[in-house]
Amino acid sequence: MNTTRRKFLATAAGGVLAAPFVRLLGPTAAEAASGQAKRLLIFFSPNGTIPRLWKPTGSGGSYRFGDGSMLEPLQGLEDDLLVVGGLDFYQATNHEGGMGAMLTNGTGPETSGLSLDQYVAAQLGAGTRLPSLELGVLTSAWGGGVQTRMSYGTGGVLMTPDDDPKNAFTRMFGDIAGGEEGVQRLFARRQSVLDLHRDELRDLHGRIGAAEQRKLDTHLDSLRALEKQLEPLGDVCEPLGAPTGLDSRANDQAPDLLAAQIELAVQALACDLTRVASIQFSHTVSPTSFTWLGISEGHHSLSHAADGTAGVADFVKCEQWCAAQFAALVQRMKDTPDPDGEGSLLDNTVVVWTKEMGDSRAHVCTDVPFIIAGNGGGAFRTGRYLDMGGISHAHLLVSICQALGLSNDTFGNPDAGRGPLSELA
Amino acid sequence: MRWSLALICAAMVGCAVGNKPCPDDLESFEAAVHTPVFAKDCVLCHVEGGAAGSTRMVLAPSDAPDRVERDLATVRALAGEVDPNGLPLLLSKPSGQHPAGHGGGRIVQVQGEQWVALEEFVGWSTGSADDCDLDPDLDAICADGAPGPRVLRRLTRAQYDNSVRDLLGVPSSYGASFAADLRVDGFDNDAAALIVSPLLADQLRVAAESLASDAVDSRLDELLPCEPRDGEATCAADFIETFGRRAFRRPLTGEEVGRYHALWRAVRSQDGRFEDGVEWVISSMLQSPHFLYRSELGARQGEGFVLTDYEIATELSYLLWNTTPSDALLDRAARGELSERDTVEAVIVEMWDDERSLAVLPGFVDQWLHLDQLALVTRDPDVYPELTRALRGQMKGEVDRFVAALAAEGGTLEDLLVDKRSFLTRELADHYGVSWEPGPVDLEGFREIDLTGSPYGGLLTQGALMTTHATPTSSSPIHRGVVVRERLLCDDLPPPPPNLDTSPPPVDPSLSTRERFAQHTELAECADCHDRIDGIGFAFEAFDGIGRYRTMDGQHPVDDMGEIKQSPSSDATFQGVDGLAGALLGGDDLQRCYARLWVRYGFGQDHGALTCAADDVAAGHDQGQLPLAEGPLGLLRTRHFTERTGEPGEASVGWLKPGERFDPGEDPDGGGGGDVELTIEINNDWGGGYCADATVDNRSDGSVTWSILHDVGGNISSIWNAKATAEGSMVRLEGDDWNATLAPNEVASFGFCVDRR
């Protein structure tokens, strides 16, 4: 179909996009202080935690990540972070319950079961090439299901993360460069193909029952998302290379896959291809073995190891590794200028690291750890560790929405509580 | 609305909604809903202090004297609530369909008996039921063998690859890399779960464009039914009809041919090559809903729907061959042979005897027993260095060959569990420690081996099952007990309750695996479920975490005494896997479960009435004597094979009447005369207006800046890639900057829509 018109510089196997693709943040860049964030980035890693090995020492504005703790790799980033403990998922428990509630807080009149990213995307995503971008690492070996998905769209449709960085790259940049007549023609054709299928779907729609109609509605929505990609993007940024040489199903490549997805998420935000991105590392009950750390036992088994066993030490190593990846993500966001020219990407983005459970050994969704990075355009006061003492995480979800300029007062089930976490400001 | 009705009804005893009385009938609540649902499963967690003790549904403890009354009040208060999809909470939560999930996982099968009971209860409580009959009369449903509802079934990822291969003659592995679908009951082909998500739509487009390009480059001559040089427009129409019939698994209507022909003509006119247009037709058809969804919609007949011959061809082909129907099968559909019972029987036999059906049983077993995870399960390489990727592949190869051979020779469930033959490679024989007689092997190194005298024999002893269901460092009585319980006895287990340390017991050389795992059944909270699991799992203790037979577990002699408890018909104590097989074959549960899961897998839905159909299949044979082939073939004797149900507002499929045959018109560069030629192809006409694709072809020897006065029969409402100006009752059409001036033989393409005056 002659669609490959551009030659990207392929990077070496391992797939990390090494070179910065946009100018680095200059020394004169101003701090953004609009009081409002423009973008949202969610980072997930699975299987809960062991609270006593996770919690920072100290509290409020004087806290630090202890040596040997799960969060040790975040040392040095304290000023950029807002560590929030003591939040509970309302009426949810266990692996599956936690995965379902983490970004939804159940359902309610305001959100109708949408997850945080989809709720925000529905309001901020209309103007961008991708309303939202779901990236994953090893999320799909078990198929889709409540264990393997955290993002929920309209009508409870599971938003499948793209585990393949190369594929994600193509969706982000595939056809926007080379804006010649050929591309225009290609897009016009894709448009006529879309129109043709839309006619076919509509013909079918009127003849079938309600459940099947919903299926076709989802299909029509998906075609609209494709159509969006046919709009010209302009010259916001120039990608340097597509991730290559990665096997998105290989356990042992998880570090390279995650690095590539982090880079793509940063690119997507920096190029304003989307305002809402998520990176899901594996999934609850994750069987991933952190073999690159010399650990062969699966992550889920380790998360349930009893105190005093070698399993706990290995679990801490795994969690430290995840913290190091999060630290790299935060640093990358700090080093990248915001596309609107005001401050760094981190200054204008709410970055949040979420987990689906609190204490993994007890299978509970109380005291679930959250870490926010960046001050959300001034909406949050970073550099603090807060223990909320056991209130619903619905307040945090509301806070994030409000930091992004939305006006909702509840998120999900309103019985969990109304209003933001005022302590974050 | 429903919510308030429920509140009113719950608050008033014996109240009436409309003309429908809602008697406060404790007895019928207890019999129809409380005992079989709430008191059986829900109360395990939904009780004060239980895992779901902080939810709004907290049931009374089982020893409370007013238990039923209290529970009725509790659940009736929730009966009117619906989830974001409009499904009643009491159905969406326990069936795991609620967007926010259900802490206890999936407890109730959609359209199963418990579902039907809950549905009746919700209807009763909210006044929406026709009457207050709380007794879901399954016997009546079964007696009349009602089929399930009409559905569109998106191709699974494997079916996509197989279909593309058969359509285009080029291999495809795109499907395997598509976004994973929601699994329901362990199966990847649930009709409700298979949707086209935004990510999948994108992947489908990439795959279709690339496959179409490959096919045209390498196989155009084979794909074309005609010679383009004898008339391009006609040949394109012929191609669309023949290829379209194979891709959509039915003939296209004249209107459909017209749609794709307009696409062909537009591309042909712009790119100048016949095959470029063909490429886009192929790409577009591979993304069409008519290719992606298998239609099981049928034509209305009375209150129900009857599948068309083409839909039956499709159902047969994907069930038995897992791919798109062959031309020969479509020809039979055209002759009406598939809707006639006498003729279709012969077709089924012929298809079953074809070697393409050999993959049916392996495909089912793969998902039935979760063997599709064999390549992925984690095993500690320090404990099990022998388990290479190649050995895992050979274990899978053994199962595939074993079940395919059994199914082909009429083997039964009993044979599946006890047959003393298998297919091994040299390496696998060494791994098992069974003797290998040199002899001819197949392409992958397998040959049939007689296992008499060895502890191996039957599916339950095979390395694939034992390795898939184990922990990274040891055998696992729990994993093995669960797979038997859930997949051979169809007894779904709830997930472990929270607030419990469920970590596997650490390896401890002073204890045997059995002793380590036995400890948790001593805890009261765990005992109920583990009573149902562990006794079964212990029977596998003579097989280690990678399927090797052993008499010693570390320094402890193996104890593989086992027991099935709390099963309707298979309770027994026994020794080892042979004993377990005997117990399973001695009850009805295995046979019924096998037939039920085949209904699930074969039909892609789990409608209550279909369960009855499965029971009929199982009941026709003595215990254990159900032939494996009856799994798929039994489905073809149910009413669901050819019928579906639908609501009154639903209508027959739209392609039953082929309509007028499409007229392909002139070739884009044939005919003509004059300086420029305008061709208009109306592609959508709704009476009050239309949209059209148009081309302007410069037939002169020199460059032309075109401007054409034309009567479009109305006002132009939108135009793209050209400009329009009204001149009286006519419209002047002119090119955009980039296509206003045409070189000799150059073509400009544009489109417009018109509102008729």
Side-chain angles (χ1 to χ4, degrees), chain B residues 262-589:
Chain B
L263 177 68
W264 171 81
R265 187 177 286 275
V267 177
R268 161 72 181 84
S269 302
Q270 279 188 336
D271 286 8
R273 294 197 313 164
F274 173 82
E275 53 266 39
D276 294 326
V278 170
E279 182 178 322
W280 277 90
V281 168
I282 294 174
S283 166
S284 183
M285 283 188 172
L286 293 182
Q287 299 173 70
S288 164
H290 297 302
F291 169 68
L292 297 174
Y293 298 101
R294 298 160 50 182
S295 165
E296 294 187 356
L297 300 176
R300 185 170 275 291
Q301 195 172 92
E303 291 191 358
F305 288 83
V306 177
L307 298 188
T308 68
D309 275 81
Y310 290 102
E311 288 173 323
I312 296 171
T314 300
E315 197 180 5
L316 281 175
S317 188
Y318 282 102
L319 178 69
L320 299 179
W321 294 350
N322 211 30
T323 188
T324 197
S326 64
D327 287 335
L329 192 58
L330 291 175
D331 290 345
R332 291 179 133 151
R335 294 196 294 268
E337 293 178 17
L338 305 182
S339 51
E340 293 295 332
R341 194 70 233 178
D342 328 340
T343 38
V344 77
E345 291 281 0
V347 174
I348 292 168
V349 169
E350 198 177 306
M351 290 182 75
W352 182 253
D353 288 343
D354 187 288
E355 65 173 16
R356 277 171 282 191
S357 75
L358 285 175
V360 176
L361 255 293
F364 170 74
V365 171
D366 215 25
Q367 298 191 22
W368 177 30
L369 301 174
H370 308 308
L371 302 184
D372 47 359
Q373 296 299 315
L374 172 60
L376 304 167
V377 290
T378 312
R379 220 40 36 109
D380 189 331
D382 293 335
V383 180
Y384 297 118
E386 303 85 355
L387 188 69
T388 59
R389 187 180 290 254
L391 190 65
R392 292 183 197 227
Q394 291 169 29
M395 289 174 171
K396 175 80 169 56
E398 178 192 11
V399 176
D400 288 351
R401 284 167 176 77
F402 176 68
V403 298
L406 280 184
E409 64 189 38
T412 62
L413 278 170
E414 181 176 7
D415 297 322
L416 184 72
L417 298 197
V418 305
D419 198 293
K420 273 299 197 184
R421 294 165 300 163
S422 194
F423 297 84
L424 304 178
T425 59
R426 173 79 201 249
E427 195 182 346
L428 196 52
D430 288 349
H431 181 71
Y432 287 168
V434 301
S435 59
W436 169 267
E437 300 287 331
V441 294
D442 70 15
L443 284 174
E444 290 170 68
F446 287 84
R447 69 183 301 247
E448 190 178 315
I449 299 283
D450 185 348
L451 297 166
T452 309
S454 88
Y456 289 88
L459 183 68
L460 299 179
T461 66
Q462 293 181 356
L465 189 73
M466 291 298 91
T467 305
T468 302
H469 301 281
T471 78
T473 52
S474 74
S475 68
S476 171
I478 296 178
H479 287 84
R480 293 164 179 184
V482 167
V483 73
V484 169
R485 196 88 213 177
E486 295 197 324
R487 307 303 277 183
L488 296 179
L489 297 172
C490 283
D491 180 15
D492 286 346
L493 298 159
N499 294 310
L500 281 180
D501 179 359
T502 56
S503 53
V507 174
D508 175 352
S510 73
L511 296 173
S512 71
T513 308
R514 181 176 184 129
E515 287 163 342
R516 287 191 290 125
F517 279 85
Q519 286 168 348
H520 57 148
T521 32
E522 291 162 13
L523 289 169
E525 308 92 299
C526 309
D528 181 63
C529 281
H530 283 280
D531 230 27
R532 292 145 80 184
I533 299 170
D534 301 10
I536 297 172
F538 288 142
F540 292 98
E541 270 303 282
F543 296 91
D544 74 3
I546 53 174
R548 287 176 303 197
Y549 180 73
R550 60 183 180 183
T551 54
M552 296 293 288
D553 173 16
Q555 34 183 289
H556 310 275
V558 161
D559 172 2
D560 61 356
M561 282 302 293
E563 180 172 19
I564 301 179
K565 286 193 206 172
Q566 297 186 45
S567 158
S569 75
S570 313
D571 285 4
T573 55
F574 41 80
Q575 182 166 11
V577 177
D578 289 348
L580 171 64
L584 291 169
L585 292 166
D588 294 329
D589 303 321

Side-chain angles (χ1 to χ4, degrees), chain B residues 151-205:
Chain B
V151 282
L152 292 165
R153 299 174 68 180
R154 207 208 71 212
L155 302 182
T156 65
R157 301 186 296 161
Q159 287 167 352
Y160 176 92
D161 279 337
N162 292 347
S163 303
V164 161
R165 176 202 63 210
D166 290 352
L167 280 176
L168 298 177
V170 297
S172 162
S173 57
Y174 285 98
S177 67
F178 287 163
D181 294 296
L182 177 67
R183 278 185 181 247
V184 180
D185 284 348
F187 294 119
D188 71 354
N189 65 355
D190 183 82
L194 292 169
I195 56 168
V196 176
S197 67
L199 176 60
L200 182 63
D202 192 79
Q203 293 171 327
L204 286 166
R205 180 186 61 71

Side-chain angles (χ1 to χ4, degrees), chain A residues 1 94 107 144 152 155 171 185 189-190 197 200 203 207 209 212 215 219 222 287 289 296-297 304 362-364, chain B residues 85 150 152 181 183 191 196 202 209 213 259-260 270-271 279 284 288 293 378 472 496 499 502-503 651-652:
Chain A
M1 200 127 294
N94 219 328
T107 184
Y152 296 83
R171 284 165 64 214
R185 189 180 285 186
R189 269 178 208 163
R190 285 185 182 158
H197 295 150
E200 292 181 330
D203 286 354
R207 301 173 181 277
E212 300 308 290
K215 205 180 277 179
H219 196 152
S222 300
S289 295
S296 56
E297 187 71 88
H304 292 313
H363 286 107
V364 290
Chain B
N85 302 322
R150 308 166 82 207
L152 292 165
D181 294 296
R183 278 185 181 247
V196 176
D202 192 79
E209 290 184 356
S213 174
R259 277 179 186 162
Y260 284 91
Q270 279 188 336
D271 286 8
E279 182 178 322
S284 183
S288 164
Y293 298 101
T378 312
N499 294 310
T502 56
S503 53
S652 301

